[in-house]
Amino acid sequence: RIAELNLIAARRAKASTAHAAALSYLQAGRGLLTDETWDRNYDLIFPIEYLLAECELVTADVSAAEERLSRLADRAQSAHDIAVVTHLRLTLYIILGNKRGVEVFIEYQRRCGNEWSPHPTDAEVRREYDQLMSSIRDRQVEHLVDLPLITDPDVLDVLDVFTEVVMTAI
């Protein structure tokens, strides 16, 4: 229960941009939990670990954030959790100017059941382009703009990851 209260306090501190205070609350909460908590109370330990990584990143402890996010990537269970961890890992590698983000994205795609090459051939790129163009077909841009907004949270998670990886791949 105390770990939960620390999580609540950390969320409030983070919302007030008091990242150092949030980090302290999260470290105190995490210190009360064991590795067995991953099996018994995933819904508590995952957000604590994730917010720790966020706060470590914002407070410039990038090596701790990188290590924590790498472990979280292995532990994330839901599609949403996998996507948010991937998104934050990509943000980290953009900040560092590190091309490792492309590998992280490839890993993410693999977990989603897609096999992508980090260095696609011209034929692979052409095939993907043709597939995209065939899905658009003869629609005018004006018709595409009038389509309803995407509200599916799983699709939005994937789009967040795709949006972030563009900066990594440049």
Side-chain angles (χ1 to χ4, degrees):
R1 179 75 181 127
I2 294 172
E4 289 175 28
L5 292 173
N6 275 292
L7 176 58
I8 292 166
R11 284 179 172 154
R12 289 181 180 165
K14 182 179 171 279
S16 300
T17 65
H19 295 100
L23 197 54
S24 294
Y25 291 126
L26 292 164
Q27 289 167 338
R30 181 60 178 98
L32 298 170
L33 306 175
T34 64
D35 281 343
E36 289 78 39
T37 307
W38 282 105
D39 298 324
R40 291 187 333 241
N41 200 346
Y42 175 88
D43 292 335
L44 174 61
I45 197 167
F46 180 85
I48 288 175
E49 287 281 341
Y50 181 79
L51 286 175
L52 272 165
E54 273 189 325
C55 290
E56 289 165 344
L57 182 59
V58 172
T59 59
D61 191 353
V62 292
S63 61
E66 182 177 22
E67 184 179 320
R68 187 175 309 280
L69 287 168
S70 180
R71 287 192 315 265
L72 268 177
D74 294 334
R75 296 236 189 213
Q77 294 176 359
S78 70
H80 173 74
D81 290 350
I82 294 166
V84 296
V85 168
T86 301
H87 185 268
L88 193 56
R89 289 178 82 194
L90 292 172
T91 301
L92 169 74
Y93 291 123
I94 290 168
I95 291 168
L96 294 175
N98 186 323
K99 294 294 182 183
R100 170 105 172 84
V102 173
E103 295 170 32
V104 167
F105 179 74
I106 299 296
E107 289 171 21
Y108 171 74
Q109 284 297 311
R110 195 168 293 121
R111 282 187 83 172
C112 293
N114 303 314
E115 281 298 324
W116 284 24
S117 167
H119 305 287
T121 65
D122 289 343
E124 290 170 325
V125 171
R126 177 45 110 185
R127 185 177 61 246
E128 290 292 326
Y129 176 80
D130 290 343
Q131 183 179 354
L132 173 67
M133 294 310 289
S134 72
S135 69
I136 295 174
R137 293 188 205 123
D138 298 328
R139 298 180 196 178
Q140 298 296 318
V141 171
E142 297 81 21
H143 296 114
L144 296 174
V145 170
D146 292 333
L147 290 173
L149 295 176
I150 297 171
T151 57
D152 181 332
D154 293 333
V155 173
L156 292 170
D157 283 341
V158 171
L159 289 175
D160 283 345
V161 171
F162 269 85
T163 301
E164 198 71 11
V165 77
V166 169
M167 294 303 295
T168 303
I170 292 177

